[in-house]
Amino acid sequence: MSGEPLRIGITCYPTFGGSGIVATEIGLSLARRGHQVHFICGGVPWRLDGFVDNVFFHEVEARDYPLFDHPYALALASKMVEVATYEKLDLFHVHYAIPHATSAHLARQILGPAAPRLVTTLHGTDITVVGHERSFLPITRFSIAASDAVTVPSQYLKDATYELLGLPGEVPIEVIPNFVDTDEYAPGPRAPGAPRRLVHNSNFRPLKRVGDVVEVFARVHREIPCELVLIGDGPDRSTVELKVRELGLTRAVKFLGKQLHFVEVLQGADAFLLPSASESFGLAALEALSCGVPVVASDVGGLAEVITDGETGFLRPLGAVDQMAEAVLRLLRDEPLRLRMSQAARASAIARFPREPMVARYEACYRRVLGR
Ligand code: GMT
């Protein structure tokens, strides 16, 4: 670590999703570098597991009360004030503009001139899905502009933020790509005689289009015996299970539900499917690439910044399940091609998305806003 240790408050949604994973990994890495990290969240973040030196957790308790419908943002602001005061925080790093940057702004107003600085990382849903709707637009734009620094994981999200929010050009946004622990997410042995395997991992929200995953799989399965492993859970799970039953694929499709440790599932995969309607980055795709698994995805959002079409995977138009199935079949039928793409996927994850250099960029950003 260069420079004095910092005291950093990190806020993210603790649920199953890329933003919480990125926030947690940044915090853990900063703690290993000697900084003191205080997670201020509505629950323990998904991948924050057990005791870690220099890491503290402060739960935001949002009480339900009949007259008082949405207390989370205010309870968070109060907790931020409390933690900043007693732990002498230098900086809040919040993930998601709404409501986290809004709560942090309110906390800073309460704390006055000695308040911590504010770094906001946008992740996608807060801009491309919800943040630009009329009911949220003014507060999203305000909260971003009130931050001392703003980061995004892709050039796509940077452009979308200026365009969808009408954000003035003088509010700078820095692109710091998401990253992966390439030691943990690494290729491993494939069990001899194991079936060919396709994998998908998401929170089963409608925008993930898990139905398309099953459609692609059904087309591939007609040609070549294989299995589909689905990791995750969410609102579309029952509909997808019904579709699998209707297509007569129950024996070939495994629903694993939410999993903390799934590297072995990826290590045995021939292809990873991500046919989403929108992705600012696609962290799940990066985890697959790092394990040497080529990704077949829709050509939307920031996915082209993560997957190189024809080299580390295949990008196809949104909803083009026939073309996606064709791409998977190419991989399954041409072993030298699959091997070449697997090696390129792994090399790309190591060269372009390594964890420590990206965390160093966040640290540099903190020191810049702190003037140190
Ligand atoms: O995609 C989701 O449903 C989860 C969402 C989140 O907020 O956790 O993911 C967003 O942030 C991830 C980490 O930066 C990105 O990898 C995802 O692409 C992004 N999702 C969308 O843009 C829809």
Side-chain angles (χ1 to χ4, degrees):
M1 180 178 52
S2 55
E4 86 229 53
L6 302 175
R7 292 163 170 261
I8 303 150
I10 294 184
T11 297
C12 63
Y13 283 116
T15 44
F16 192 65
S19 60
I21 293 169
V22 171
T24 306
E25 292 296 333
I26 292 171
L28 292 174
S29 188
L30 289 167
R32 280 193 294 272
R33 288 163 175 248
H35 300 293
Q36 203 176 91
V37 176
H38 294 265
F39 284 95
I40 311 170
C41 310
V44 181
W46 177 239
R47 286 194 190 171
L48 188 62
D49 207 9
F51 169 77
V52 184
D53 219 11
N54 283 336
V55 173
F56 302 86
F57 172 69
H58 307 263
E59 183 160 355
V60 178
E61 293 162 69
R63 295 193 207 297
D64 275 333
Y65 188 71
L67 284 177
F68 192 37
D69 246 1
H70 300 291
Y72 169 68
L74 300 179
L76 172 59
S78 287
K79 187 57 91 178
M80 285 170 151
V81 170
E82 186 186 313
V83 177
T85 306
Y86 294 110
E87 302 296 346
K88 302 194 173 12
L89 295 185
D90 295 298
L91 183 127
F92 293 124
H93 184 178
V94 302
H95 295 259
Y96 262 60
I98 41 169
H100 297 161
T102 319
S103 301
H105 175 68
L106 181 54
R108 275 162 28 111
Q109 294 292 303
I110 296 168
L111 288 161
R117 294 301 175 118
L118 172 58
V119 174
T120 298
T121 295
L122 310 173
H123 283 278
T125 303
D126 45 354
I127 303 301
T128 53
V129 184
V130 185
H132 70 285
E133 284 178 8
R134 288 241 69 83
S135 54
F136 287 116
L137 181 77
I139 202 155
T140 310
R141 194 163 43 202
F142 173 84
S143 306
I144 291 172
S147 306
D148 295 302
V150 181
T151 79
V152 288
S154 62
Q155 183 62 41
Y156 157 77
L157 189 57
K158 178 174 176 171
D159 297 341
T161 303
Y162 284 118
E163 190 186 315
L164 293 171
L165 299 188
L167 197 68
E170 59 269 21
V171 177
I173 299 180
E174 182 181 355
V175 178
I176 304 181
N178 288 337
F179 53 85
V180 64
D181 179 343
T182 52
D183 292 332
E184 183 183 353
Y185 289 85
R190 291 162 72 96
R196 313 303 299 268
R197 179 187 290 167
L198 312 188
V199 176
H200 169 79
N201 175 16
S202 78
N203 53 19
F204 282 56
R205 283 162 65 206
L207 71 76
K208 298 293 174 180
R209 297 177 69 107
V210 190
D212 281 8
V213 172
V214 175
E215 289 293 341
V216 172
F217 175 71
R219 285 157 175 75
V220 175
H221 186 260
R222 248 179 253 144
E223 304 287 326
I224 294 180
C226 56
E227 66 175 15
L228 171 65
V229 181
L230 296 166
I231 304 165
D233 210 328
D236 276 357
R237 164 103 181 240
S238 299
T239 323
V240 172
E241 284 195 34
L242 178 64
K243 189 178 190 101
V244 168
R245 281 198 293 276
E246 284 173 354
L247 290 169
L249 290 169
T250 35
R251 289 169 65 89
V253 181
K254 293 178 182 151
F255 288 85
L256 298 191
K258 290 182 188 175
Q259 296 290 328
L260 258 180
H261 305 287
F262 52 84
V263 171
E264 281 174 22
V265 178
L266 289 174
Q267 287 171 341
D270 295 282
F272 185 87
L273 301 175
L274 196 63
S276 310
S278 173
E279 289 292 348
S280 72
F281 184 90
L283 186 66
L286 176 57
E287 290 173 342
L289 295 177
S290 189
C291 290
V293 182
V295 178
V296 176
S298 45
D299 191 3
V300 300
L303 285 172
E305 294 171 54
V306 182
I307 302 150
T308 309
D309 185 34
E311 270 180 41
T312 63
F314 293 104
L315 294 169
R316 295 294 178 259
L318 176 61
V321 290
D322 285 331
Q323 290 185 43
M324 290 181 195
E326 205 43 55
V328 175
L329 284 166
R330 267 184 76 188
L331 284 167
L332 298 189
R333 284 180 175 139
D334 185 345
E335 185 59 6
L337 173 76
R338 193 193 66 76
L339 272 175
R340 216 167 43 242
M341 292 186 87
S342 165
Q343 282 160 5
R346 171 77 181 153
S348 163
I350 291 173
R352 298 176 61 212
F353 305 106
R355 183 174 60 185
E356 292 311 316
M358 296 305 178
V359 176
R361 287 181 61 184
Y362 282 107
E363 194 180 327
C365 169
Y366 298 165
R367 293 202 188 277
R368 205 166 52 242
V369 303
L370 287 164
R372 297 179 200 163

